[in-house]
Amino acid sequence: MRSQILAALLASAALTVGALAQGAPPGETKGKTDDLEKLQAFKSTGTEPAPEVPQTGRRADAIRKTLAKIKLPEGFKIDLYAVVPDARALAVGPNAGVVFVGTRKSKVYTVTDRDKDRVADEVRAFAPGVSFKVPNGVCFSRDGVLTVVEQNRVLAFPAAEFFYENPDVAAGIVVKQGELIPASEESYNHTARVCRVGPDGKTYIALGQPYNVPPADKLDLYTKTGIGGIIRVDADGKNREVFATGIRNSVGIDFAPDKSLWFTDNQVDGMGDDTPPGELNRATKAGETFGFPWYGGGAVRTAEYKDQTPPANAVAPLAELPPHAADLGLTFYNGKQFPKAYQGGIFIAEHGSWNRTTPVGARIMFATLGADGKVASVKPFAEGWLTQDGEYLGRPVDVAVLLDGSLLVSDDTAGAVYRISYEGGDK
């Protein structure tokens, strides 16, 4: 169904571009059709293929040297999967296993393991003719449509993992530039979006709000538009709905087997080294609110809203995470390679603190769930990117399960994607 909707969207775009080319009134078209419009009309842009990102040399050697210091549970090992500049959100193609990597810059990268030796053979920029702006969010639908969520636009690329090698790929605009959030609210802060395609076929998008704590006169606008929350739209961008509110800045969302939506939330800065905690939350239905900005994290009240009554129906986090560790991407482990103790649990990437007296984070955490579906524990799984001297050797951003059941980890500081595999004995 999703691919049929996108096919209709692409056909509509092609007719529109064709009509413009056949003689629209003067002044109603741009002087030059841009590359995205050409791709919508299935026209060649003349763009050259992007150059390959080198996978050998001093940079790769230095990354491997760092990985030798990473501590993992017995039986696990970590290797360099690919050198990917500014690597952020990860999306694994459901059919061929090609990995698409978003960034906070201007590129989305493709990572290809052609010989299936679990090391990338080729890394290139995807759709080099498209001018991306903060294309952090990448996610796949089950039928292979890649969604790219930028700062203020959403694009879709049908069958991306089969046609990505050509610089010209089929493309559709799901949400036009300037319509994901009001242009007045565009900011350099908290602008890295993430997305997931839900069990209902809709695209869920987390929209961080630009402030540490927003002023009261912004709350109505943010509630209405979903800024500081999570929205959902149909595959063609229609039927937009604010799914959840009261979220400061989530940069990690994923669906549980029971179809509930789980997400991390980065909490308020400037309240001290040890408060407030980060959050792991669960949304079970549309319309829930999660307490921000009345709460800065967990049950800690913000100074700005301490005299106001919080919403009575505010949903508390299922787990409180280490203060200021910057928990970002998360994924339910749905593979079979890891031991049963990990199957069905949640891996979380901690980016690491930026303003704490003693830095924390820069590791992969694992949340174990009990039989009741609640969080039983959250413990370090992979660590060592933060030295005892407080130096970051890397900063994990996202986690994703490769088709063979191994775990990918992105790192925007090192500019790399790692692969964690299990080679132990009994599972």
Side-chain angles (χ1 to χ4, degrees), residues 269-338:
D269 296 314
M271 300 183 73
D273 278 0
D274 300 315
T275 192
E279 294 184 353
L280 177 60
N281 293 283
R282 179 186 183 218
T284 59
K285 59 184 178 182
E288 291 179 313
T289 188
F290 291 85
F292 181 78
W294 297 270
Y295 297 99
V300 178
R301 294 295 303 272
T302 58
E304 293 84 349
Y305 288 81
K306 63 182 175 57
D307 295 327
Q308 297 190 25
T309 303
N313 60 342
V315 179
L318 279 187
E320 294 187 353
L321 304 174
H324 309 300
D327 296 273
L328 301 185
L330 81 161
T331 188
F332 277 86
Y333 182 72
N334 57 8
K336 301 298 182 183
Q337 183 183 124
F338 291 5

Side-chain angles (χ1 to χ4, degrees), residues 141-376:
S141 64
R142 292 182 179 178
D143 57 356
V145 177
L146 174 71
T147 296
V148 176
V149 183
E150 301 176 86
Q151 180 189 48
N152 203 0
R153 181 175 65 172
V154 182
L155 304 178
F157 300 89
E161 62 174 329
F162 291 104
F163 299 107
Y164 70 93
E165 294 180 276
N166 191 322
D168 294 330
V169 294
I173 298 176
V174 178
V175 179
K176 295 179 181 179
Q177 174 61 38
E179 295 185 5
L180 183 59
I181 64 171
S184 62
E185 303 310 308
E186 288 186 10
S187 169
Y188 61 82
N189 197 36
H190 298 165
T191 193
R193 319 299 183 196
V194 291
C195 62
R196 280 288 194 274
V197 177
D200 55 5
K202 293 178 180 289
T203 301
Y204 290 70
I205 302 170
L207 300 177
Q209 55 79 43
Y211 297 89
N212 185 32
V213 178
D217 61 6
K218 292 286 187 179
L219 293 189
D220 287 345
L221 174 64
Y222 287 6
T223 300
K224 179 180 179 181
T225 58
I227 297 175
I230 298 171
I231 66 166
R232 62 182 177 185
V233 297
D234 290 344
D236 58 2
K238 296 179 180 178
N239 296 315
R240 175 174 176 150
E241 177 185 7
V242 177
F243 178 75
T245 59
I247 302 166
R248 181 174 178 270
N249 182 38
S250 176
V251 196
I253 62 177
D254 197 18
F255 283 91
D258 67 1
K259 300 183 180 181
S260 61
L261 180 61
W262 294 58
F263 60 94
T264 56
D265 196 8
N266 283 249
Q267 295 306 307
V268 173
D269 296 314
M271 300 183 73
D273 278 0
D274 300 315
T275 192
E279 294 184 353
L280 177 60
N281 293 283
R282 179 186 183 218
T284 59
K285 59 184 178 182
E288 291 179 313
T289 188
F290 291 85
F292 181 78
W294 297 270
Y295 297 99
V300 178
R301 294 295 303 272
T302 58
E304 293 84 349
Y305 288 81
K306 63 182 175 57
D307 295 327
Q308 297 190 25
T309 303
N313 60 342
V315 179
L318 279 187
E320 294 187 353
L321 304 174
H324 309 300
D327 296 273
L328 301 185
L330 81 161
T331 188
F332 277 86
Y333 182 72
N334 57 8
K336 301 298 182 183
Q337 183 183 124
F338 291 5
K340 289 183 179 179
Y342 294 93
Q343 294 175 21
I346 304 171
F347 286 100
I348 302 170
E350 284 188 352
H351 200 221
S353 60
W354 66 270
N355 67 342
R356 197 174 184 275
T357 303
T358 302
V360 295
R363 56 191 175 180
I364 304 301
M365 306 293 283
F366 181 73
T368 301
L369 305 185
D372 57 0
K374 296 182 179 180
V375 178

